[in-house]
Amino acid sequence: MSEIIKVENLTKRYGTLEAVRGISFHVNAGEVFSLLGPNGAGKTTTVEILEGVRKRTSGHVAVLGYDPEKIDETFRKRVGVLPQDFNFLQRITPLEALEFFIGSLESRMDPVELLKTVDLVDRKDVYFSKLSGGQKQKLGIAIALSNDAELIFLDEPTAGLDPISRKSIQQVMRNLRSLGKTIFLTTHYLEEAEKLADRVAIVNHGIIVDEGTPEELVQKNKTHDTLVVSLARDHATETALPKGLVMKSPGVYEMPVTSNDDLFSVLDSIAKSRIPVDNIYLKRENLEDVFMRVVGVEPDES
Amino acid sequence: MNLKRILLYFRLHTKLFFRTRSGPFFLIIFPVILMLLFGSIFGSGGIGKTSIAVQNDGPDSPYIQGSLAAFNASGLFSVSLVPAGENITSYMKANSIDIGVVFPANFTSSISNRSAVVQYYSEPGDQTASTLQPVILNLILTGTGSTTATVYTQEVSVSGLGKAVDYYIPALLGYTIINGIFSMVYEVPNYRKDRIFRQLSFANLSKPEWLAATTLFYAVTTLISDVIIFGIGVSVFNVSLQVSIPGILLSVVVILSGLLLFTAIGLLAGLYTKDEESASLVANTIFFPMLFLSGVFYPISVLPSYLQTVAYALPLTYFNLALKDILLYNAFSQVLLEIVFMVLAGIGLFAFSSFLATRKQDE
């Protein structure tokens, strides 16, 4: 698989602050690569260096074979960007914005079709200032697609959006993935990265602390699964439960399970005790649990 | 620099400009208000009484007194009496009076002989003065009470007399030009804050291209405002400027040179302005001293000597001097130097601003 982005020992300093401290990674053609990390981890700085809007302090970066500090007009025609906190001219309409980008980038895309892709065609003549947060982000994505780019940077595309808008934009990203576009996604919604990304790199304090597919990261970093037992209402405080089950809330008990033997043994005990169980399931560790453990902080929700 | 992108952004900028409420107001309505206001105050094109300077070089007589009474009774004129022996041309220039009437020493004896001559002083081509000439003659005849006498006029041309409003036309054009400073001082920090420049860079629109498109936009809108001012001045207030094809072409060159310079000043100021509040402070700090010290509202010669030194350090002074040389005095020799100064200063400031803009992007 060809490497579309290659980063080696990238550093970025702002005065005495070292925002990015020698990170290395690569992104393959056609994959969705996600950079995860808490606020201030260096995600956006890294992305902006790759996009060619910020200079690096040291290291080697190649994006589609270009050094982003020495890009020419062709680079912008091959790369689409949805920046963090996307904003544009307040009195422009989505249709006009797309016509401007398509004209300026000499693209052959149809602006109306692009608006259909992001489900914004009904708002094509509404001023940017009158669009909702989700609609603005959709326009930002449509702009990022206006040059039919092979590589698309999406920096926090769903940040601050309501669940419906978030799901809608996630669907757009799935569509892009199915079109074979290479997507560089930064997000603090771990469930989003887990669902959409082929590979993930977790960055913290300017360094990459782990990297792999979401499944690999979970497998590599998980310590245990959790057995969850919910009792029927009138048995909310059952004392005959097997040892190790700890009450987390009234009627709900949890217990770490590290092996199948442990699991079968507990289930056998519960069955023998004849306690009326309302629900019983095994909660597997996910990317969020791994992230919290690797980074040592709660995923940022700002 | 890609011309297609420049024109694309120019068209977009123009379209969005007309969607603002303030944009069309400052482009069309404000120049109209400005010209009507200045024209009404300083012009004499049929609005209010026309000032006339009257001088009697001979002995006082009932004929002279009758003529003065007829002028006053008509309600058309505001009469200023010029002492005998004083130079009436200088008096008219000093007092911004467009029409002068001199009763010669032999007027009283001549009117008794049924034929007299008065000297009629006015700017060549002043339509108002030409229109009022027969009215004034009729009033003189009425005032003398003679029904059989004839009064002739000996026309005396007074070049460079003009009207007060003529003096203000270049000044008002200068005012529209330095509005570019205000626009840039507000636009640049807002674009930086909202990260519009970054977004435009994704469309391959470079900063120099943005600057070119924006300056082109200000050039077009400023020329529209200036045509409005000039049009109202000529059609309503009958301004008598030195209008010739080379003069008009040279005026356009001066306006564009000034625009380049003042847009560059605005850009530079905008780069050091962080928000709207400081934009207002910076814009007014640059704008008002220039407005009052650069000869916009009164000649630089009336300023104290130390302020005159300051005035000649201000770029608007050179813009005003250039336009006045062309439009008032038809004198082109000095203008080239003033244009060269504005163009070189404008290019220098633009280059410096572009350098700063690129540096600030990575901060």
Side-chain angles (χ1 to χ4, degrees):
Chain A
M1 214 180 266
S2 65
E3 290 177 353
I4 254 186
I5 297 175
K6 192 169 174 62
V7 175
E8 287 173 357
N9 296 317
L10 174 65
T11 65
K12 174 67 185 177
R13 278 191 210 93
Y14 299 103
T16 55
L17 174 73
E18 200 170 16
V20 180
R21 300 191 292 159
I23 64 173
S24 300
F25 61 88
H26 71 276
V27 179
N28 296 316
E31 75 175 357
V32 178
F33 181 86
S34 183
L35 200 59
L36 299 179
N39 239 8
K43 299 188 302 282
T44 295
T45 297
T46 304
V47 174
E48 288 185 346
I49 289 169
L50 300 183
E51 290 165 356
V53 297
R54 201 170 286 281
K55 288 181 178 172
R56 60 184 180 269
T57 305
S58 67
H60 177 261
V61 177
V63 179
L64 294 167
Y66 288 89
D67 178 342
E69 286 184 15
K70 296 167 187 163
I71 53 175
D72 57 20
E73 290 182 6
T74 324
F75 180 81
R76 292 272 173 243
K77 292 178 182 176
R78 295 175 64 191
V79 172
V81 177
L82 170 72
Q84 192 179 34
D85 306 323
F86 164 71
N87 197 12
F88 204 41
L89 302 162
Q90 297 300 300
R91 287 184 178 82
I92 200 167
T93 67
L95 186 62
E96 289 166 346
L98 286 171
E99 283 170 346
F100 170 70
F101 272 83
I102 287 168
S104 190
L105 292 165
E106 295 170 327
S107 160
R108 290 183 180 173
M109 298 294 281
D110 180 343
V112 177
E113 284 303 314
L114 279 170
L115 289 169
K116 283 180 187 166
T117 305
V118 295
D119 192 23
L120 202 59
V121 76
D122 292 344
R123 308 284 283 167
K124 69 181 170 66
D125 296 322
V126 177
Y127 287 171
F128 182 79
S129 59
K130 305 280 182 193
L131 298 175
S132 70
Q135 288 164 345
K136 285 177 180 172
Q137 288 295 87
K138 283 179 177 178
L139 174 61
I141 293 175
I143 286 173
L145 301 176
S146 61
N147 51 354
D148 196 17
E150 51 203 284
L151 169 64
I152 302 163
F153 290 98
L154 301 175
D155 193 0
E156 305 283 2
T158 57
L161 300 184
D162 62 80
I164 295 169
S165 301
R166 202 183 305 163
K167 276 193 189 309
S168 171
I169 285 175
Q170 284 170 359
Q171 187 54 49
V172 172
M173 287 191 272
R174 274 191 204 94
N175 294 344
L176 294 178
R177 190 186 181 189
S178 66
L179 290 171
K181 306 281 186 192
T182 306
I183 298 176
F184 192 105
L185 171 71
T186 62
T187 180
H188 58 248
Y189 292 113
L190 299 157
E191 144 257 343
E192 186 169 280
E194 196 165 16
K195 279 184 198 165
L196 297 169
D198 297 306
R199 286 193 309 121
V200 168
I202 298 175
V203 61
N204 193 26
H205 300 303
I207 55 170
I208 289 180
V209 290
D210 214 340
E211 187 181 349
T213 67
E215 297 77 23
E216 283 170 355
L217 291 180
V218 171
Q219 284 303 318
K220 192 164 65 175
N221 294 288
K222 81 168 187 179
T223 54
H224 59 265
D225 294 331
T226 303
L227 181 71
V228 182
V229 180
S230 301
L231 301 184
R233 211 171 266 277
D234 51 343
H235 289 81
T237 52
E238 184 54 62
T239 51
L241 278 170
K243 198 178 170 188
L245 275 165
V246 178
M247 191 169 76
K248 288 290 177 183
S249 60
V252 180
Y253 294 80
E254 286 185 9
M255 162 180 191
V257 177
T258 52
S259 69
N260 281 349
D261 289 347
D262 286 353
L263 178 63
F264 295 145
S265 164
V266 174
L267 291 175
D268 191 43
S269 301
I270 292 170
K272 282 178 183 162
S273 68
R274 317 287 282 176
I275 299 165
V277 172
D278 196 38
N279 191 10
I280 187 164
Y281 63 92
L282 195 63
K283 189 169 79 180
R284 296 207 173 272
E285 286 208 319
N286 59 19
L287 194 58
E288 184 165 341
D289 300 312
V290 168
F291 178 91
M292 287 167 67
R293 190 169 305 122
V294 169
V295 172
V297 292
E298 290 283 333
D300 182 78
E301 289 293 326
S302 62
Chain B
M1 293 273 266
N2 180 308
L3 185 64
K4 189 187 163 195
R5 280 199 296 269
I6 292 171
L7 293 176
L8 198 64
Y9 185 73
F10 166 75
R11 279 204 299 273
L12 181 68
H13 197 289
T14 306
K15 193 189 274 187
L16 301 190
F17 171 80
F18 280 99
R19 287 183 184 160
T20 62
R21 284 181 189 168
S22 59
F25 174 82
F26 282 105
L27 174 67
I28 297 163
I29 300 170
F30 191 65
V32 171
I33 292 173
L34 213 57
M35 192 57 228
L36 288 176
L37 203 65
F38 273 78
S40 302
I41 297 169
F42 300 107
S44 59
I47 295 178
K49 291 182 178 180
T50 301
S51 295
I52 56 170
V54 179
Q55 189 176 42
N56 180 17
D57 284 349
D60 199 11
S61 71
Y63 297 126
I64 303 288
Q65 287 305 321
S67 299
L68 290 176
F71 289 152
N72 288 323
S74 72
L76 294 172
F77 302 104
S78 169
V79 179
S80 297
L81 286 174
V82 184
E86 189 169 335
N87 185 317
I88 190 168
T89 304
S90 304
Y91 185 92
M92 288 165 72
K93 284 182 179 176
N95 293 282
S96 299
I97 295 174
D98 305 321
I99 299 167
V101 175
V102 175
F103 292 97
N106 62 355
F107 180 78
T108 300
S109 56
S110 299
I111 200 86
S112 305
N113 295 328
R114 298 182 180 178
S115 178
V117 173
V118 291
Q119 289 172 328
Y120 192 79
Y121 286 73
S122 68
E123 174 91 20
D126 183 343
Q127 294 301 314
T128 308
S130 302
T131 309
L132 289 174
Q133 191 180 343
V135 177
I136 287 171
L137 283 179
N138 267 329
L139 288 170
I140 291 171
L141 277 175
T142 309
T144 55
S146 171
T147 52
T148 51
T150 308
V151 178
Y152 299 98
T153 52
Q154 180 193 357
E155 291 188 15
V156 183
S157 291
V158 187
S159 67
L161 180 64
K163 297 196 217 29
V165 69
D166 302 346
Y167 180 84
Y168 284 103
I169 291 273
L172 294 180
L173 301 185
Y175 182 85
T176 63
I177 289 280
I178 54 174
N179 267 331
I181 290 180
F182 261 98
S183 309
M184 291 299 264
V185 172
Y186 280 96
E187 192 163 324
V188 172
N190 277 338
Y191 271 37
R192 276 201 359 248
K193 178 173 69 68
D194 294 340
R195 308 198 78 176
I196 303 294
F197 287 126
R198 177 188 61 173
Q199 195 59 46
L200 291 174
S201 76
F202 297 145
N204 259 341
L205 190 83
S206 66
K207 278 221 170 70
E209 286 169 353
W210 175 83
L211 267 174
T214 309
T215 309
L216 178 64
F217 169 78
Y218 289 132
V220 172
T221 51
T222 302
L223 285 174
I224 290 172
S225 294
D226 290 351
V227 165
I228 290 171
I229 287 175
F230 207 76
I232 294 177
V234 170
S235 61
V236 179
F237 298 105
N238 205 21
V239 294
S240 48
L241 298 172
Q242 303 291 330
V243 180
S244 62
I245 297 293
I248 288 173
L249 292 177
L250 210 51
S251 301
V252 171
V253 173
V254 170
I255 288 169
L256 294 179
S257 310
L259 192 88
L260 179 78
L261 176 57
F262 294 114
T263 309
I265 293 172
L267 175 67
L268 191 61
L271 286 170
Y272 281 104
T273 308
K274 286 189 175 164
D275 50 41
E276 227 163 276
E277 195 182 340
S278 46
S280 169
L281 189 74
V282 169
N284 285 302
T285 304
I286 301 170
F287 189 80
F288 282 104
M290 268 212 283
L291 203 60
F292 289 107
L293 295 178
S294 301
V296 172
F297 295 122
Y298 35 77
I300 292 171
S301 56
V302 305
L303 298 173
S305 61
Y306 70 95
L307 279 182
Q308 286 189 29
T309 311
V310 176
Y312 283 106
L314 298 174
L316 187 60
T317 301
Y318 297 93
F319 178 85
N320 265 327
L321 288 175
L323 273 192
K324 279 175 183 161
D325 281 346
I326 299 168
L327 296 175
L328 296 182
Y329 312 120
N330 209 22
F332 299 163
S333 56
Q334 276 292 313
V335 177
L336 190 64
L337 202 65
E338 286 146 359
I339 291 173
V340 168
F341 166 77
M342 288 190 286
V343 169
L344 289 182
I347 289 172
L349 285 175
F350 257 120
F352 184 56
S353 307
S354 295
F355 168 72
L356 276 183
T358 315
R359 269 189 54 187
K360 276 182 171 287
Q361 187 173 310
D362 202 44
E363 281 174 6

